[in-house]
Amino acid sequence: MPRGQKSKLRAREKRRQAREGPEHLVPAQTTAPEEEESPSSPSPHFKDAPQSSPATGTSGSPKVPGGVCSTSTTAAAASNTKFNEDASNQVEEKQNTSKARDTTEQCRRGPIEEKVALLVYYLLYKYQVKEPITKADMLRNVIQTYKNHFHEILRKASEHLELVFGLDVKEMDPNRNTYVLINKLERSCDARVNDNGAVPKTGLLMTVLGVIFTKGNRATEEEVWEVLNMMGLYDGIKNFIYGDPKKLITKDWVKEKYLEYRQVPNSDPPHYEFLWGPRAHAETSKMKVLEFVAKSHDTVPTAFPGCYEEALRDEEERARARVLAKAGTAAMASARSAKAIASSFSCPK
């Protein structure tokens, strides 16, 4: 082909390509540089970020999911948080969970359960103000239209009072249907149970005594708190019934001689343990505490064979001590009587 004709053909081809535009250019010639400069290329820190796709139109920008940011921030904070602060957060979370569970359970309660709760509060009020309790008052003020369920409601309320507050519901006069609440601790005067009108804490004390007894008559502070935590009581958080639980078990009840709180011998760092105090030995017994523990577990004392045998031995020792005490008292009375008789018949010198 003549050189002039070739030049004309090349010129014509250039004009055609210019009219059709860049769409028909070879893709490799344009996409390669775009891939090198494209912001859609994943960063090494986000290897799992979705890539841009011509078919789907998915954006290639590495969007950080909310969970990634919050998780990393939380992890960084947790690594610099003191243990006591972390424990406090866990306690708050447990409390919130417990409150939510309690709210759900409350919504599910039927009318009988509602009456049980009301009767518990009513009987506690009567106990605090030291007013007599009658069946007629309970029917009129609490049970009302559910009088056919009176015995069921009273039984359930009695169980709550025993396990939570350490109070036994006793029928004093079957003919007059009068009842009384008796503290499980054998105090010389039941009025001492609550001189300040506070809610009785005997149930919690019986629980702590039970932990000590079942742990071999001495329980570490950690073992006691493990049980208290299960009851929703935590160190440093006040309870609306028991107040400051740590102060209660390590100071108040120690001062009242219900508990002994002492350092474990040769422990380094120091650890502490609880034992029964002399007042606990005087006002209750191992068998009564074991019965309380068994009832709280919905079982019988013989389900704890080792503790049951020890409680039986304790009962026998107490019985012997009572017999000896009575014999001693009788002997002293007899001696005084004999002395008085002898002095009455003595002749003046």
Short mmCIF file of all heavy atoms in Angstrom, two decimals, residues 40-99:
data_model
loop_
_atom_site.label_atom_id
_atom_site.label_comp_id
_atom_site.label_asym_id
_atom_site.label_seq_id
_atom_site.Cartn_x
_atom_site.Cartn_y
_atom_site.Cartn_z
N SER A 40 -10.12 1.81 48.30
CA SER A 40 -10.84 0.61 48.71
C SER A 40 -9.91 -0.52 49.07
O SER A 40 -10.35 -1.56 49.54
CB SER A 40 -11.79 0.16 47.59
OG SER A 40 -11.03 -0.24 46.47
N SER A 41 -8.62 -0.36 48.86
CA SER A 41 -7.69 -1.42 49.23
C SER A 41 -7.68 -1.57 50.74
O SER A 41 -7.52 -0.58 51.46
CB SER A 41 -6.28 -1.09 48.73
OG SER A 41 -6.29 -0.97 47.33
N PRO A 42 -7.82 -2.78 51.25
CA PRO A 42 -7.96 -2.96 52.70
C PRO A 42 -6.67 -2.63 53.42
O PRO A 42 -5.58 -2.96 52.98
CB PRO A 42 -8.29 -4.45 52.84
CG PRO A 42 -7.73 -5.08 51.59
CD PRO A 42 -7.89 -4.05 50.53
N SER A 43 -6.84 -1.96 54.58
CA SER A 43 -5.70 -1.66 55.43
C SER A 43 -5.24 -2.93 56.12
O SER A 43 -6.03 -3.82 56.37
CB SER A 43 -6.12 -0.62 56.48
OG SER A 43 -5.17 -0.56 57.50
N PRO A 44 -3.98 -3.07 56.44
CA PRO A 44 -3.51 -4.25 57.16
C PRO A 44 -4.22 -4.45 58.50
O PRO A 44 -4.28 -5.54 59.02
CB PRO A 44 -2.02 -3.97 57.38
CG PRO A 44 -1.67 -2.98 56.32
CD PRO A 44 -2.87 -2.17 56.09
N HIS A 45 -4.79 -3.38 59.08
CA HIS A 45 -5.49 -3.48 60.36
C HIS A 45 -6.93 -3.95 60.19
O HIS A 45 -7.61 -4.27 61.16
CB HIS A 45 -5.50 -2.12 61.07
CG HIS A 45 -4.12 -1.61 61.35
ND1 HIS A 45 -3.29 -2.16 62.31
CD2 HIS A 45 -3.42 -0.60 60.76
CE1 HIS A 45 -2.14 -1.50 62.33
NE2 HIS A 45 -2.19 -0.56 61.40
N PHE A 46 -7.43 -3.98 58.96
CA PHE A 46 -8.79 -4.40 58.69
C PHE A 46 -8.78 -5.39 57.55
O PHE A 46 -9.33 -5.15 56.48
CB PHE A 46 -9.68 -3.19 58.34
CG PHE A 46 -9.72 -2.17 59.41
CD1 PHE A 46 -8.93 -1.04 59.33
CD2 PHE A 46 -10.53 -2.33 60.52
CE1 PHE A 46 -8.96 -0.09 60.32
CE2 PHE A 46 -10.55 -1.37 61.52
CZ PHE A 46 -9.76 -0.24 61.42
N LYS A 47 -8.17 -6.53 57.77
CA LYS A 47 -8.02 -7.51 56.70
C LYS A 47 -9.35 -8.10 56.28
O LYS A 47 -9.50 -8.59 55.17
CB LYS A 47 -7.08 -8.62 57.15
CG LYS A 47 -5.65 -8.15 57.37
CD LYS A 47 -4.76 -9.30 57.79
CE LYS A 47 -3.33 -8.81 57.99
NZ LYS A 47 -2.44 -9.91 58.41
N ASP A 48 -10.33 -8.03 57.16
CA ASP A 48 -11.61 -8.63 56.83
C ASP A 48 -12.61 -7.62 56.29
O ASP A 48 -13.78 -7.92 56.15
CB ASP A 48 -12.21 -9.29 58.08
CG ASP A 48 -11.35 -10.45 58.53
OD1 ASP A 48 -10.71 -11.07 57.67
OD2 ASP A 48 -11.32 -10.74 59.75
N ALA A 49 -12.15 -6.41 55.99
CA ALA A 49 -13.07 -5.40 55.47
C ALA A 49 -13.54 -5.80 54.08
O ALA A 49 -12.78 -6.32 53.28
CB ALA A 49 -12.38 -4.04 55.41
N PRO A 50 -14.84 -5.55 53.76
CA PRO A 50 -15.36 -5.95 52.45
C PRO A 50 -14.73 -5.14 51.33
O PRO A 50 -14.48 -3.95 51.49
CB PRO A 50 -16.86 -5.67 52.57
CG PRO A 50 -16.97 -4.62 53.63
CD PRO A 50 -15.86 -4.91 54.58
N GLN A 51 -14.45 -5.79 50.19
CA GLN A 51 -13.86 -5.13 49.04
C GLN A 51 -14.96 -4.57 48.14
O GLN A 51 -16.09 -5.01 48.13
CB GLN A 51 -13.01 -6.12 48.24
CG GLN A 51 -11.94 -6.80 49.08
CD GLN A 51 -10.99 -5.79 49.66
OE1 GLN A 51 -10.43 -4.99 48.94
NE2 GLN A 51 -10.82 -5.82 50.97
N SER A 52 -14.58 -3.56 47.30
CA SER A 52 -15.54 -3.01 46.34
C SER A 52 -15.79 -4.03 45.26
O SER A 52 -14.91 -4.77 44.85
CB SER A 52 -15.00 -1.71 45.74
OG SER A 52 -13.78 -1.99 45.07
N SER A 53 -17.01 -4.08 44.83
CA SER A 53 -17.40 -5.04 43.81
C SER A 53 -18.19 -4.34 42.72
O SER A 53 -19.20 -3.72 42.98
CB SER A 53 -18.24 -6.16 44.42
OG SER A 53 -18.77 -6.98 43.40
N PRO A 54 -17.72 -4.38 41.47
CA PRO A 54 -18.46 -3.74 40.39
C PRO A 54 -19.84 -4.33 40.25
O PRO A 54 -20.78 -3.65 39.85
CB PRO A 54 -17.60 -4.03 39.15
CG PRO A 54 -16.24 -4.34 39.69
CD PRO A 54 -16.46 -4.98 40.99
N ALA A 55 -20.01 -5.62 40.58
CA ALA A 55 -21.29 -6.27 40.38
C ALA A 55 -22.29 -5.84 41.44
O ALA A 55 -23.47 -5.65 41.15
CB ALA A 55 -21.12 -7.79 40.41
N THR A 56 -21.82 -5.67 42.68
CA THR A 56 -22.74 -5.36 43.76
C THR A 56 -22.75 -3.90 44.13
O THR A 56 -23.67 -3.42 44.78
CB THR A 56 -22.36 -6.18 45.01
OG1 THR A 56 -21.04 -5.82 45.39
CG2 THR A 56 -22.44 -7.67 44.74
N GLY A 57 -21.71 -3.20 43.73
CA GLY A 57 -21.65 -1.80 44.10
C GLY A 57 -21.31 -1.58 45.55
O GLY A 57 -21.55 -0.52 46.09
N THR A 58 -20.73 -2.60 46.21
CA THR A 58 -20.39 -2.48 47.61
C THR A 58 -19.25 -1.51 47.78
O THR A 58 -18.26 -1.57 47.07
CB THR A 58 -19.98 -3.85 48.18
OG1 THR A 58 -21.04 -4.75 47.93
CG2 THR A 58 -19.71 -3.75 49.65
N SER A 59 -19.37 -0.63 48.73
CA SER A 59 -18.32 0.34 48.98
C SER A 59 -17.11 -0.36 49.56
O SER A 59 -17.20 -1.25 50.36
CB SER A 59 -18.82 1.41 49.97
OG SER A 59 -17.76 2.22 50.35
N GLY A 60 -15.95 0.09 49.12
CA GLY A 60 -14.72 -0.54 49.59
C GLY A 60 -14.15 0.11 50.81
O GLY A 60 -13.12 -0.30 51.32
N SER A 61 -14.76 1.17 51.35
CA SER A 61 -14.21 1.84 52.53
C SER A 61 -14.32 0.93 53.74
O SER A 61 -15.37 0.34 53.98
CB SER A 61 -14.98 3.15 52.79
OG SER A 61 -14.88 3.99 51.67
N PRO A 62 -13.23 0.80 54.51
CA PRO A 62 -13.23 -0.10 55.67
C PRO A 62 -14.02 0.47 56.83
O PRO A 62 -13.49 1.16 57.68
CB PRO A 62 -11.75 -0.22 56.01
CG PRO A 62 -11.15 1.05 55.54
CD PRO A 62 -11.94 1.46 54.33
N LYS A 63 -15.33 0.21 56.86
CA LYS A 63 -16.17 0.69 57.95
C LYS A 63 -15.98 -0.19 59.19
O LYS A 63 -16.08 -1.40 59.12
CB LYS A 63 -17.65 0.68 57.53
CG LYS A 63 -17.94 1.60 56.37
CD LYS A 63 -19.39 1.54 55.99
CE LYS A 63 -19.69 2.47 54.82
NZ LYS A 63 -21.11 2.42 54.41
N VAL A 64 -15.71 0.45 60.32
CA VAL A 64 -15.46 -0.28 61.56
C VAL A 64 -16.79 -0.59 62.23
O VAL A 64 -17.55 0.33 62.52
CB VAL A 64 -14.59 0.55 62.52
CG1 VAL A 64 -14.31 -0.23 63.79
CG2 VAL A 64 -13.31 0.94 61.83
N PRO A 65 -17.12 -1.85 62.46
CA PRO A 65 -18.34 -2.17 63.18
C PRO A 65 -18.30 -1.59 64.58
O PRO A 65 -17.25 -1.46 65.19
CB PRO A 65 -18.35 -3.71 63.22
CG PRO A 65 -17.39 -4.14 62.16
CD PRO A 65 -16.38 -3.05 62.06
N GLY A 66 -19.48 -1.26 65.09
CA GLY A 66 -19.53 -0.67 66.43
C GLY A 66 -18.89 -1.55 67.47
O GLY A 66 -18.27 -1.07 68.41
N GLY A 67 -19.05 -2.87 67.33
CA GLY A 67 -18.51 -3.79 68.33
C GLY A 67 -17.00 -3.75 68.38
O GLY A 67 -16.41 -3.95 69.43
N VAL A 68 -16.36 -3.50 67.27
CA VAL A 68 -14.91 -3.51 67.25
C VAL A 68 -14.35 -2.36 68.08
O VAL A 68 -13.48 -2.53 68.91
CB VAL A 68 -14.40 -3.41 65.79
CG1 VAL A 68 -12.90 -3.29 65.78
CG2 VAL A 68 -14.87 -4.61 65.00
N CYS A 69 -14.90 -1.19 67.86
CA CYS A 69 -14.41 -0.03 68.59
C CYS A 69 -14.69 -0.16 70.07
O CYS A 69 -13.82 0.07 70.89
CB CYS A 69 -15.06 1.24 68.03
SG CYS A 69 -14.53 2.75 68.85
N SER A 70 -15.94 -0.53 70.43
CA SER A 70 -16.30 -0.61 71.83
C SER A 70 -15.53 -1.71 72.54
O SER A 70 -15.13 -1.57 73.68
CB SER A 70 -17.81 -0.85 71.98
OG SER A 70 -18.17 -2.07 71.36
N THR A 71 -15.32 -2.83 71.85
CA THR A 71 -14.60 -3.93 72.48
C THR A 71 -13.16 -3.57 72.75
O THR A 71 -12.63 -3.83 73.83
CB THR A 71 -14.65 -5.18 71.58
OG1 THR A 71 -16.01 -5.50 71.34
CG2 THR A 71 -13.95 -6.35 72.22
N SER A 72 -12.52 -2.95 71.77
CA SER A 72 -11.12 -2.59 71.98
C SER A 72 -10.99 -1.55 73.07
O SER A 72 -10.05 -1.59 73.87
CB SER A 72 -10.54 -2.05 70.67
OG SER A 72 -11.26 -0.91 70.23
N THR A 73 -11.92 -0.60 73.11
CA THR A 73 -11.88 0.42 74.16
C THR A 73 -12.07 -0.21 75.53
O THR A 73 -11.40 0.13 76.50
CB THR A 73 -12.96 1.48 73.91
OG1 THR A 73 -12.78 2.02 72.61
CG2 THR A 73 -12.88 2.59 74.94
N THR A 74 -13.04 -1.12 75.62
CA THR A 74 -13.31 -1.79 76.90
C THR A 74 -12.11 -2.60 77.35
O THR A 74 -11.75 -2.61 78.53
CB THR A 74 -14.53 -2.71 76.77
OG1 THR A 74 -15.65 -1.94 76.33
CG2 THR A 74 -14.87 -3.36 78.10
N ALA A 75 -11.49 -3.30 76.42
CA ALA A 75 -10.33 -4.12 76.77
C ALA A 75 -9.19 -3.24 77.27
O ALA A 75 -8.51 -3.58 78.25
CB ALA A 75 -9.87 -4.93 75.56
N ALA A 76 -8.98 -2.11 76.61
CA ALA A 76 -7.92 -1.22 77.05
C ALA A 76 -8.22 -0.66 78.44
O ALA A 76 -7.33 -0.55 79.29
CB ALA A 76 -7.76 -0.07 76.05
N ALA A 77 -9.49 -0.32 78.67
CA ALA A 77 -9.87 0.21 79.99
C ALA A 77 -9.73 -0.85 81.05
O ALA A 77 -9.25 -0.58 82.16
CB ALA A 77 -11.30 0.74 79.94
N ALA A 78 -10.13 -2.06 80.71
CA ALA A 78 -10.08 -3.14 81.71
C ALA A 78 -8.64 -3.44 82.10
O ALA A 78 -8.36 -3.76 83.26
CB ALA A 78 -10.74 -4.40 81.15
N SER A 79 -7.72 -3.33 81.15
CA SER A 79 -6.33 -3.64 81.46
C SER A 79 -5.72 -2.61 82.41
O SER A 79 -4.73 -2.89 83.07
CB SER A 79 -5.50 -3.68 80.18
OG SER A 79 -5.49 -2.41 79.56
N ASN A 80 -6.31 -1.41 82.47
CA ASN A 80 -5.78 -0.37 83.35
C ASN A 80 -6.66 -0.12 84.55
O ASN A 80 -6.48 0.86 85.27
CB ASN A 80 -5.65 0.95 82.55
CG ASN A 80 -4.64 0.83 81.43
OD1 ASN A 80 -3.59 0.24 81.61
ND2 ASN A 80 -4.97 1.37 80.28
N THR A 81 -7.67 -0.99 84.79
CA THR A 81 -8.60 -0.80 85.89
C THR A 81 -8.17 -1.59 87.10
O THR A 81 -7.76 -2.73 86.97
CB THR A 81 -10.01 -1.24 85.47
OG1 THR A 81 -10.40 -0.50 84.32
CG2 THR A 81 -11.01 -0.98 86.60
N LYS A 82 -8.26 -1.01 88.25
CA LYS A 82 -7.89 -1.70 89.48
C LYS A 82 -8.89 -2.80 89.76
O LYS A 82 -10.04 -2.76 89.34
CB LYS A 82 -7.88 -0.71 90.65
CG LYS A 82 -6.79 0.36 90.53
CD LYS A 82 -6.82 1.27 91.72
CE LYS A 82 -5.73 2.33 91.61
NZ LYS A 82 -5.76 3.25 92.76
N PHE A 83 -8.44 -3.80 90.52
CA PHE A 83 -9.27 -4.97 90.79
C PHE A 83 -10.54 -4.59 91.52
O PHE A 83 -11.62 -5.08 91.21
CB PHE A 83 -8.50 -5.98 91.62
CG PHE A 83 -9.33 -7.15 92.05
CD1 PHE A 83 -9.64 -8.16 91.16
CD2 PHE A 83 -9.82 -7.23 93.34
CE1 PHE A 83 -10.41 -9.22 91.55
CE2 PHE A 83 -10.59 -8.29 93.73
CZ PHE A 83 -10.89 -9.29 92.85
N ASN A 84 -10.44 -3.68 92.50
CA ASN A 84 -11.63 -3.37 93.28
C ASN A 84 -12.66 -2.65 92.43
O ASN A 84 -13.86 -2.82 92.62
CB ASN A 84 -11.27 -2.53 94.51
CG ASN A 84 -10.56 -1.24 94.14
OD1 ASN A 84 -10.12 -1.06 93.01
ND2 ASN A 84 -10.43 -0.34 95.10
N GLU A 85 -12.21 -1.83 91.47
CA GLU A 85 -13.15 -1.16 90.59
C GLU A 85 -13.82 -2.16 89.68
O GLU A 85 -15.02 -2.09 89.42
CB GLU A 85 -12.43 -0.09 89.76
CG GLU A 85 -11.90 1.07 90.61
CD GLU A 85 -11.12 2.05 89.77
OE1 GLU A 85 -10.80 1.71 88.61
OE2 GLU A 85 -10.82 3.14 90.26
N ASP A 86 -13.04 -3.13 89.18
CA ASP A 86 -13.60 -4.16 88.31
C ASP A 86 -14.60 -4.99 89.08
O ASP A 86 -15.67 -5.33 88.56
CB ASP A 86 -12.48 -5.05 87.77
CG ASP A 86 -12.99 -6.09 86.81
OD1 ASP A 86 -13.58 -5.71 85.80
OD2 ASP A 86 -12.77 -7.29 87.07
N ALA A 87 -14.28 -5.32 90.33
CA ALA A 87 -15.21 -6.09 91.16
C ALA A 87 -16.48 -5.31 91.40
O ALA A 87 -17.58 -5.86 91.39
CB ALA A 87 -14.56 -6.46 92.49
N SER A 88 -16.33 -4.00 91.59
CA SER A 88 -17.51 -3.17 91.80
C SER A 88 -18.41 -3.18 90.59
O SER A 88 -19.63 -3.26 90.70
CB SER A 88 -17.09 -1.74 92.14
OG SER A 88 -18.20 -0.90 92.28
N ASN A 89 -17.80 -3.11 89.39
CA ASN A 89 -18.60 -3.17 88.17
C ASN A 89 -19.33 -4.49 88.05
O ASN A 89 -20.48 -4.54 87.62
CB ASN A 89 -17.70 -2.95 86.94
CG ASN A 89 -17.14 -1.55 86.88
OD1 ASN A 89 -17.75 -0.62 87.42
ND2 ASN A 89 -16.01 -1.38 86.24
N GLN A 90 -18.62 -5.58 88.41
CA GLN A 90 -19.26 -6.89 88.34
C GLN A 90 -20.42 -6.98 89.31
O GLN A 90 -21.46 -7.53 89.00
CB GLN A 90 -18.24 -7.98 88.66
CG GLN A 90 -17.17 -8.13 87.59
CD GLN A 90 -16.18 -9.22 87.94
OE1 GLN A 90 -16.41 -9.99 88.85
NE2 GLN A 90 -15.10 -9.27 87.21
N VAL A 91 -20.27 -6.37 90.48
CA VAL A 91 -21.34 -6.39 91.47
C VAL A 91 -22.54 -5.62 90.95
O VAL A 91 -23.68 -6.04 91.07
CB VAL A 91 -20.84 -5.78 92.80
CG1 VAL A 91 -22.01 -5.50 93.71
CG2 VAL A 91 -19.87 -6.74 93.47
N GLU A 92 -22.27 -4.43 90.34
CA GLU A 92 -23.36 -3.65 89.79
C GLU A 92 -24.09 -4.42 88.70
O GLU A 92 -25.31 -4.39 88.59
CB GLU A 92 -22.83 -2.33 89.24
CG GLU A 92 -22.34 -1.39 90.33
CD GLU A 92 -21.77 -0.12 89.75
OE1 GLU A 92 -21.79 0.02 88.50
OE2 GLU A 92 -21.31 0.74 90.52
N GLU A 93 -23.32 -5.14 87.86
CA GLU A 93 -23.93 -5.93 86.80
C GLU A 93 -24.79 -7.04 87.39
O GLU A 93 -25.89 -7.31 86.93
CB GLU A 93 -22.84 -6.52 85.91
CG GLU A 93 -23.40 -7.31 84.72
CD GLU A 93 -22.30 -7.84 83.83
OE1 GLU A 93 -21.14 -7.47 84.04
OE2 GLU A 93 -22.60 -8.64 82.93
N LYS A 94 -24.27 -7.68 88.46
CA LYS A 94 -25.05 -8.74 89.12
C LYS A 94 -26.32 -8.17 89.71
O LYS A 94 -27.38 -8.78 89.63
CB LYS A 94 -24.21 -9.39 90.22
CG LYS A 94 -23.08 -10.26 89.69
CD LYS A 94 -22.30 -10.87 90.84
CE LYS A 94 -21.14 -11.72 90.34
NZ LYS A 94 -20.35 -12.29 91.47
N GLN A 95 -26.22 -6.97 90.30
CA GLN A 95 -27.40 -6.37 90.90
C GLN A 95 -28.44 -6.05 89.85
O GLN A 95 -29.63 -6.29 90.04
CB GLN A 95 -27.00 -5.09 91.65
CG GLN A 95 -26.33 -5.36 92.99
CD GLN A 95 -26.16 -4.07 93.76
OE1 GLN A 95 -25.83 -3.04 93.17
NE2 GLN A 95 -26.35 -4.13 95.06
N ASN A 96 -27.99 -5.48 88.72
CA ASN A 96 -28.92 -5.16 87.66
C ASN A 96 -29.60 -6.41 87.12
O ASN A 96 -30.79 -6.43 86.87
CB ASN A 96 -28.20 -4.42 86.52
CG ASN A 96 -27.69 -3.06 86.95
OD1 ASN A 96 -28.24 -2.46 87.87
ND2 ASN A 96 -26.65 -2.57 86.30
N THR A 97 -28.79 -7.47 86.95
CA THR A 97 -29.37 -8.74 86.49
C THR A 97 -30.36 -9.28 87.50
O THR A 97 -31.43 -9.76 87.14
CB THR A 97 -28.25 -9.77 86.26
OG1 THR A 97 -27.31 -9.23 85.34
CG2 THR A 97 -28.82 -11.08 85.71
N SER A 98 -29.98 -9.18 88.79
CA SER A 98 -30.87 -9.67 89.84
C SER A 98 -32.16 -8.88 89.88
O SER A 98 -33.24 -9.43 90.01
CB SER A 98 -30.16 -9.61 91.19
OG SER A 98 -31.01 -10.02 92.22
N LYS A 99 -32.04 -7.54 89.73
CA LYS A 99 -33.24 -6.70 89.74
C LYS A 99 -34.15 -7.04 88.57
O LYS A 99 -35.37 -7.10 88.70
CB LYS A 99 -32.84 -5.23 89.69
CG LYS A 99 -32.22 -4.72 90.99
CD LYS A 99 -31.83 -3.26 90.85
CE LYS A 99 -31.19 -2.75 92.13
NZ LYS A 99 -30.78 -1.32 91.99
#
